[in-house]
């Protein structure tokens, strides 16, 4: 219920043109991902986490925790049961880090791929997952990534599964 209320408040802020506020502090993406995995049901048993390079930056820890929790939670919910979810964080570039979340779930239908980050859109309307059933998770995720000056992209295919790719600058925009 708390997550649903937060997502509705975030939606309201974006719709009012205020965006989502972030409070950047020194943070380590490795710690954020590890905490998200720890907090998710089945996280420790389903998720393989690979961290490469320096993953430190200046971000809002709690808001990036929200991003990772939504992305990994969706990957678990929509992945093929019994298959691993792969999370990879790469910090080889001096000015940015990359985060990917991959599952081997069924491809998202082409008819909805372009709208996965829109509010109230679901990739599979027949499945209901608590607060995620409203279709706000990926919308809020995209807004949080944008608030950090980053980008998020989505790929889906029957052969390759589903991949979310987040690019985050190490420092907030001036």
């Amino acid at each position: 219920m708390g997550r649903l209320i937060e997502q509705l408040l975030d939606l309201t802020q974006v719709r009012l043109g205020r965006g989502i506020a972030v409070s950047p502090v020194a943070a380590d993406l490795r710690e954020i991902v590890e905490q998200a995995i720890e907090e998710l049901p089945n996280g420790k048993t389903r998720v393989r986490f690979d961290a490469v390079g320096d993953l430190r930056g200046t971000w809002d820890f709690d808001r990036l925790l929200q991003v990772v929790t939504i992305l990994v939670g969706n990957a678990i919910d929509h992945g093929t049961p019994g298959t691993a979810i792969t999370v990879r964080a790469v910090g080889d570039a001096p000015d940015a880090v990359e985060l990917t979340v991959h599952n081997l779930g069924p491809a998202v239908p082409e008819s909805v791929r372009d709208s996965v980050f829109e509010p109230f859109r679901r990739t599979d309307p027949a499945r209901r997952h608590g607060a995620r059933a409203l279709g706000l998770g990926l919308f809020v995720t995209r807004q949080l990534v944008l608030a950090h000056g980053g980008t998020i992209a989505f790929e889906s295919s029957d052969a390759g599964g589903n991949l979310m790719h987040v690019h985050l600058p190490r420092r907030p925009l001036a």
Side-chain angles (χ1 to χ4, degrees):
M1 183 63 81
R3 178 174 288 144
L4 174 62
I5 292 168
E6 285 177 5
Q7 290 177 348
L8 288 170
L9 290 172
D10 289 339
L11 171 68
T12 301
Q13 291 299 320
V14 171
R15 292 271 169 105
L16 291 173
R18 296 181 187 148
I20 297 177
V22 293
S23 300
V25 296
D28 189 321
L29 187 58
R30 179 187 323 262
E31 293 173 18
I32 293 169
V33 172
E34 288 172 348
Q35 184 173 332
I37 292 169
E38 180 77 25
E39 292 176 2
L40 283 164
N42 301 321
K44 289 199 263 184
T45 59
R46 293 271 316 268
V47 179
R48 288 191 325 231
F49 177 42
D50 181 28
V52 177
D54 178 9
L55 298 172
R56 293 173 295 168
T58 304
W59 307 297
D60 185 318
F61 187 98
D62 291 330
R63 290 305 206 156
L64 276 191
L65 178 63
Q66 187 178 357
V67 166
V68 175
T69 300
I70 290 169
L71 293 178
V72 176
N74 280 353
I76 290 170
D77 288 347
H78 299 286
T80 301
T83 63
I85 307 306
T86 304
V87 177
R88 182 168 169 81
V90 179
D92 291 339
D95 60 343
V97 299
E98 307 294 326
L99 174 72
T100 58
V101 179
H102 177 260
N103 75 14
L104 292 174
V108 171
E110 281 190 52
S111 61
V112 296
R113 285 184 197 163
D114 290 338
S115 62
V116 296
F117 296 110
E118 296 301 317
F120 308 113
R121 305 276 190 209
R122 293 183 293 242
T123 58
D124 183 358
R127 295 176 70 175
R128 301 196 57 85
H129 300 284
R132 291 187 199 105
L134 280 180
L136 291 175
L138 290 178
F139 170 76
V140 169
T141 296
R142 181 173 185 268
Q143 297 303 314
L144 289 171
V145 170
L146 291 173
H148 283 89
T151 60
I152 185 168
F154 174 65
E155 299 172 26
S156 184
S157 71
D158 287 324
N162 301 293
L163 177 74
M164 287 288 183
H165 181 262
V166 176
H167 172 89
L168 287 170
R170 291 184 189 271
R171 303 286 177 258
L173 298 175

